[in-house]
Amino acid sequence: MCGIVGYIGFKDAIPILMEGLKRLEYRGYDSAGIATISDNGVQIYKKAGKVAELSKYIEANGISSQMGIGHTRWATHGEPNDVNAHPHTDCTETISVIHNGIIENFSTLKKKLEQNGHIFKTETDTESLAHLIEEMLKHTPDLFTAVRLALNEVEGTYGIAVISKNEPDKIITARKGSPIVIGIGENENFIASDAAALISHTRQVVYLEDGEIACITKDGFYTKTIFDEEIKKQVEEITFDLEQIEKGGFDHFMLKEINEQPETLRNALRGRVLTDEGTSKLGGLSEVTDVLMNARRFIITACGTSWHAALVGKYMLEQYAKIPVDVEYASEFRYRDPVIYKDDVVFLISQSGETADTLAALKKAKSAGAHVLGLVNVVGSTIARESDAGIYIHAGPEIGVASTKAFTSQLAVLSLITLMMARKRGMSQADGRQVVRELLKLPEKVNKILKDINQIQQIADTFYSHGNFLYLGRGYNFPVALEGALKLKEISYIHAEGYPAAEMKHGPIALIDNEMPVVVIATKDSTYEKILSNIQEVRARRGRIIAIANEDDDHIHKLAEHVIRIPHTLDFLMPILSIIPLQLLSYYIAVKRGCDVDQPRNLAKSVTVE
Ligand code: G6P
């Protein structure tokens, strides 16, 4: 996601900041900017696009300074343009702020600040922080205290850096849920959101913990908690190399992204559940709630993994929101003559927001007069811009070509839409509260699955040389079978088919012999008994069964050769858990086969041609 770098010392800060920003490029971003302080006050240079663009712009302006902060932005609130790029400033342009994360209560803060006369210039959540610090500076003369007090008002996540023209000898930085590391030099110090940005200057670092704030000068630093408690920090030595840091210590981006899912799920849910009311609040859809509730039907159209998410969405929306849902491959939808009514709502699901077929489907739906809503990851992407309204899934940049974290975030957001509509269609508050409770437990449950990978690795070792796999599931786990098979195909080049388990006897059962691995998703839901019968059918033909089952299932190990255990949740949320072991299984099989996991042959991350 976004990146932060900062320098204060005796050298020219600009090349150090620009090098730091370049090192953060791998995280994905859509605009970049820096702020420094000179005799004329705070100077901000920012641009949509690549760091190279920003470099040209800065060179043309010929600036130099011995301190500054820099940012690469991956948009969450507001399009990726020059104005929304960080740094942001207050009304008097005294301070400058860069921020990673999401300020959840920014609309409330913004409203209050506007009532107090603050003028906002951007669509970002971050700008509210700049004005809030300005407000605090009316009550305290020093920047450190003003930032500390401001952070007490903020809900959400942040890694921030703040400078002020009135105190040009310091950078204030703080973290909650978004990392900050301080780099210790001699007569110079650094900050970054990621050690990659400072490793070429120093290996001596201090990691901030959540709720901590630090003041960095060229000679040293001090830290407190945001509640004003003194804390002592340990200086540590970085032992990783640059490539390991970029991948967060994981061997591949895909594995890093699989492991990010507890956090990306939290981001998808953040600020969107109303615990007491037992419902959800989706800002992007607030203007179109009536349109949703009065729709004749939903059509969800997408490609690849996003199409699988759409299929889970159909199951949950029909069951709870009581609306008919058609799921369409965008490439088919665009070229046939579908009946589209004016009171249809057409949802486009796309991680990249740029997939050519999905975009064409959007245009077709729009020209037929339907309402067009986007469920997109990349903010400001074409599909996001061309939709009538929409919701971002906030999964952060996905670099591995095979989609993982975007899928679970798409499912989380579809669950929120389902909950909101279901509550308006008769789901009781008590049931709504239970859904909310279960949604909020998902990140921890995913974490649990991710911690227990030994067995998945052993299964990968056993089966990696097999040429075919079958994936079976029923109900909510049928789309998971499709997605599990797709993951395996994409990155290991093993032929794999996903099937509704009962449909197996109409064809694929002919393939089963004692060489055939059959992955069966058999969690304890309303189809559990039925899928046990399907497992028996595979057993009778000596197929090699790998079952994904719940922790308390004390029967399934008698039927399956291998059982991967996952926690319980509500049936309609189960795909968010049951896909995780399948992502890991594909990953470890592909690694064992020596495949290029992050960039599999013939595939593209964003398919912008039809
Ligand atoms: C490509 C990617 C897939 C992705 C699909 C749809 O095929 O390799 O991972 O699921 O496009 O992409 P979208 O960005 O529209 O979700």
Side-chain angles (χ1 to χ4, degrees), residues 302-307 349-355 358 383 398 400-403 410 486-487 490 603-607:
C303 303
T305 291
S306 299
W307 188 89
I349 305 186
S350 176
Q351 186 285 128
S352 61
E354 301 294 346
T355 302
T358 313
I383 291 173
E398 199 178 54
V401 166
S403 185
Q410 288 163 347
L486 178 64
K487 287 289 87 82
E490 285 179 310
L603 296 180
K605 182 70 190 155
S606 183
V607 182

Side-chain angles (χ1 to χ4, degrees), residues 124-139:
T124 63
D125 52 336
T126 303
E127 194 186 349
S128 61
L129 193 53
H131 292 282
L132 190 59
I133 297 168
E134 179 185 22
E135 194 62 28
M136 294 301 171
L137 281 166
K138 291 180 187 161
H139 310 292

Side-chain angles (χ1 to χ4, degrees), residues 521-536:
I521 307 135
T523 53
K524 280 199 171 167
D525 58 18
S526 59
T527 63
Y528 177 69
E529 295 298 332
K530 302 275 175 210
I531 206 150
L532 290 188
S533 309
N534 300 128
I535 291 179
Q536 296 285 16

Side-chain angles (χ1 to χ4, degrees), residues 137-403:
L137 281 166
K138 291 180 187 161
H139 310 292
T140 170
D142 82 289
L143 184 65
F144 183 85
T145 310
V147 175
R148 191 178 64 68
L149 293 174
L151 293 177
N152 277 280
E153 309 268 311
V154 164
E155 286 165 27
T157 53
Y158 52 78
I160 55 161
V162 188
I163 56 174
S164 163
K165 72 173 182 192
N166 294 336
E167 297 175 61
D169 58 341
K170 63 188 63 151
I171 301 173
I172 311 298
T173 184
R175 86 160 257 177
K176 183 179 161 209
S178 197
I180 291 286
V181 50
I182 302 170
I184 313 291
E186 283 203 16
N187 300 320
E188 59 179 357
N189 286 307
F190 306 81
I191 58 156
S193 53
D194 176 328
L198 45 77
I199 197 169
S200 61
H201 303 286
T202 177
R203 286 184 169 264
Q204 303 296 309
V205 296
V206 171
Y207 293 98
L208 285 195
E209 298 297 330
D210 281 352
E212 293 179 354
I213 176 168
C215 173
I216 323 291
T217 64
K218 82 184 183 30
D219 305 314
F221 72 96
Y222 62 89
T223 46
K224 280 190 171 182
T225 71
I226 61 162
F227 306 115
D228 207 20
E229 297 143 338
E230 302 285 339
I231 32 168
K232 279 245 158 319
K233 301 294 295 179
Q234 289 288 332
V235 177
E236 297 176 40
E237 169 130 11
I238 301 178
T239 50
F240 289 123
D241 64 25
L242 190 60
E243 201 190 309
Q244 283 170 309
I245 291 171
E246 289 179 346
K247 292 182 180 148
F250 293 99
D251 290 341
H252 297 95
F253 282 109
M254 182 181 176
L255 188 58
K256 174 173 175 257
E257 287 157 8
I258 290 173
N259 277 277
E260 277 171 3
Q261 288 174 110
E263 189 52 31
T264 49
L265 282 169
R266 279 189 199 104
N267 287 342
L269 300 174
R270 180 165 288 124
R272 290 171 167 175
V273 289
L274 300 173
T275 315
D276 289 342
E277 290 92 327
T279 187
S280 68
K281 181 188 67 178
L282 295 157
L285 296 185
S286 57
E287 306 275 294
V288 292
T289 311
D290 288 345
V291 174
L292 289 181
M293 297 313 296
N294 295 325
R296 170 196 287 241
R297 152 183 83 156
F298 288 176
I299 300 170
I300 316 182
T301 169
C303 303
T305 291
S306 299
W307 188 89
H308 295 151
L311 200 52
V312 181
K314 169 187 170 75
Y315 281 37
M316 60 174 84
L317 283 159
E318 291 198 340
Q319 181 173 8
Y320 294 105
K322 306 289 175 210
I323 175 120
V325 182
D326 290 344
V327 173
E328 298 264 2
Y329 286 110
S331 53
E332 289 296 309
F333 182 77
R334 66 179 290 195
Y335 283 121
R336 52 185 202 87
D337 286 322
V339 177
I340 308 173
Y341 301 107
K342 290 207 174 358
D343 50 0
D344 277 340
V345 167
V346 179
F347 271 95
L348 293 308
I349 305 186
S350 176
Q351 186 285 128
S352 61
E354 301 294 346
T355 302
D357 284 325
T358 313
L359 185 57
L362 179 153
K363 291 185 173 146
K364 181 159 198 146
K366 235 182 176 177
S367 62
H371 284 274
V372 173
L373 306 179
L375 212 144
V376 170
N377 191 30
V378 179
V379 175
S381 54
T382 314
I383 291 173
R385 280 186 280 113
E386 301 221 349
S387 300
D388 298 326
I391 317 174
Y392 288 116
I393 62 167
H394 293 320
E398 199 178 54
I399 295 171
V401 166
S403 185

